[in-house]
């Protein structure tokens, strides 16, 4: 089924790139079927060095890097196809490659000075060096404003101190892009900056591997930075503008991670379809039971593709795909019955590897609240869908857009500037905006593709948005949160 993923991810891409993506995905499937053992990687807690070297020989570590620096220069859609294809075989391997292609190298590709690009990108494209991105700290997870790592100018040099945690590719990387507070740099009194670190920099120390619930083959470490003395040209992009630059980098990374969620979900669907066709209960395959057929149908429809408005779409894709990935893998466990709880089937591994995707690169609840905040402060007003899409779809999609806009206006009128402090309302608004982005993506795809399947997918998303929107309407809570919290702390039932 990988060709379906390629066609989805390559929608709107250059035809020559689509052919290259097809060829690479075919190579991934052939190689992974014989050489990537997900259960062994999970048990041993690492992706074998030989596998990483082989994937480098296939050119995978350079697909997101421009040709002038030794890469393939794929679009974001092409990169997503590669990550999704790898994730169908092993999520730890896909995470290792996807992190390098997205968060690890994107800052240098998009904002780096040519001197740093010339020095590092050819090796990163070849896979002789891997890349990592480090933002999270003990006191700064989704709230990056609280970053304590500092990069300050001292006598014409850059002095870096701090500790980063949960660094994916931490033990494998030769190059790190970090986000640090940089008071004074670029004239920004409280600004942040992206800084490139080399594994050989004196004072950089990589900690031990973390023991994790899932993604055990993916390297996750602490990176300690003790008085690193660096030239000022290690700053990536504008000094003091790191927050804005990191927003772009994170959007790219979330999109690649969403593609990995699709790949893992596809693996769960494939395994479940095969199981329900062969597992017999009550004298017939369980796939013939109506309730099972409905469950399989529910998990098999999910696909989301588009690349418009990176911040909104990447956030929506990350939340939707990671939540759907978890739900699909959970359903796969359920439909496998007792065998779904046995590691040898591979289904528990899919579930464990999926859980972290709802947390890293921004916890989903935080991202939804942030999306609601963006909509409240500066609503996105995409053009109205015209009848050339499909008259019925256009009418329903425009009606949903109007519904979200109306709810936003009602909230602004009700709360005014105080709305920015009402996290519950912003979270619910964010849910509605996320569904709007999914509708726009699928309706746009139905326009470009024009197939019955694409039209059916768009209609399905409109049905889901209508039902979920009803659940997310901004009604008063049935019981005040304060009452519930008080009862819990007093040890009583509310």
């Amino acid at each position: 089924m990988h060709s379906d993923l390629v066609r989805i991810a390559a929608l709107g891409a250059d035809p020559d790139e689509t052919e290259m993506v097809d060829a690479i995905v075919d190579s991934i499937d052939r190689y992974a079927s014989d050489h990537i053992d997900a259960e062994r990687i999970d048990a041993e807690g690492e992706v074998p060095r030989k596998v990483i070297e082989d994937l480098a020989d296939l050119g995978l570590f350079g697909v997101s890097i421009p040709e002038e620096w030794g890469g393939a220069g794929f679009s974001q859609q092409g990169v997503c196809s590669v990550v999704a294809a790898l994730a169908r075989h092993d999520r730890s391997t896909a995470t290792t490659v996807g992190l390098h292609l997205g968060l690890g190298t994107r800052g240098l590709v998009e904002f780096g000075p040519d001197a740093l690009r010339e020095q590092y990108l050819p090796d990163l494209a070849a896979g002789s060096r891997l890349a990592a991105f480090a933002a999270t700290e003990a006191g700064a997870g989704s709230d990056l404003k609280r970053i304590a790592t500092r990069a300050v100018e001292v006598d014409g040099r850059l002095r870096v101190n701090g500790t980063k945690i949960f660094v994916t590719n931490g033990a494998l990387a030769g190059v790190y892009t970090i986000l640090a507070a940089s008071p004074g740099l670029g004239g920004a009194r409280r600004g942040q900056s992206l800084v490139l670190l080399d594994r050989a920099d004196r004072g950089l120390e990589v900690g031990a591997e973390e023991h994790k619930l899932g993604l055990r083959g993916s390297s996750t470490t602490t990176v300690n930075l003790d008085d690193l003395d660096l030239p000022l040209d290690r700053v990536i992009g504008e000094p003091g503008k790191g927050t804005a630059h990191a927003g772009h980098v994170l959007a790219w990374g979330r999109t690649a991670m969403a593609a990995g969620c699709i790949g893992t979900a596809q693996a769960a669907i494939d395994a479940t379809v095969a199981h329900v066709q062969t597992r017999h209960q009550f004298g017939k395959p369980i796939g013939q039971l109506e309730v099972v057929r409905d469950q399989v149908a529910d998990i098999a429809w999910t696909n989301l593709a588009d690349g418009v408005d990176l911040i909104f779409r990447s956030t929506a894709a990350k939340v939707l795909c990671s939540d759907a990935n978890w739900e699909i893998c959970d359903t796969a466990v359920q439909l496998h019955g007792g065998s779904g709880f046995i590691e040898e089937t591979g289904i528990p591994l899919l579930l464990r590897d999926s859980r972290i995707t709802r947390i890293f690169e921004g916890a989903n609840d935080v991202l939804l609240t942030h999306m609601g905040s963006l909509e409240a402060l500066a609503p996105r007003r995409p053009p109205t869908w015209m009848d050339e899409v499909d008259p019925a779809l256009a009418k329903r999609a425009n009606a949903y857009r109007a519904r979200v806009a109306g709810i936003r206006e009602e909230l602004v009128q009700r709360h005014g500037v105080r709305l920015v402090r009402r996290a519950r309302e912003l979270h619910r608004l964010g849910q509605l905006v996320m569904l709007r982005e999914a509708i726009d993506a699928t309706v746009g795809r139905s326009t470009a593709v024009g197939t019955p399947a694409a039209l059916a997918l768009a209609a399905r998303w409109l049905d889901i948005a209508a039902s979920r929107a009803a659940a997310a309407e901004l009604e008063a809570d049935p019981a005040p949160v304060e009452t519930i919290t008080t009862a819990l702390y007093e040890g009583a039932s509310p």
Side-chain angles (χ1 to χ4, degrees), residues 13 16-17 25 48 65 120 128 151 206 208 230 233 258 286 291 308 353 378 477:
D16 292 336
E17 177 181 300
V25 171
I65 295 175
Y120 290 103
S128 55
V206 177
L230 309 174
D233 65 7
I286 62 173
V291 66
V308 182
D353 282 353
D477 291 327

Side-chain angles (χ1 to χ4, degrees), residues 37 69 83 99 106 117 195 199 203 211 266 288 424 436 448 452:
D37 185 338
W69 308 113
V83 176
L99 190 287
R106 189 61 196 173
R117 290 171 173 164
V195 180
R199 181 67 173 264
H211 298 287
Q266 187 66 62
Q288 294 182 14
R424 193 176 301 117
R436 181 192 67 196

Side-chain angles (χ1 to χ4, degrees), residues 40-64:
R40 178 182 175 185
I41 288 171
D42 179 67
E44 296 182 356
E46 64 178 358
V47 178
R49 172 56 61 176
K50 180 65 164 60
V51 168
I52 292 176
E53 292 172 353
D54 290 345
L55 296 181
D57 290 341
L58 288 175
L60 300 194
F61 290 102
V63 296
S64 66

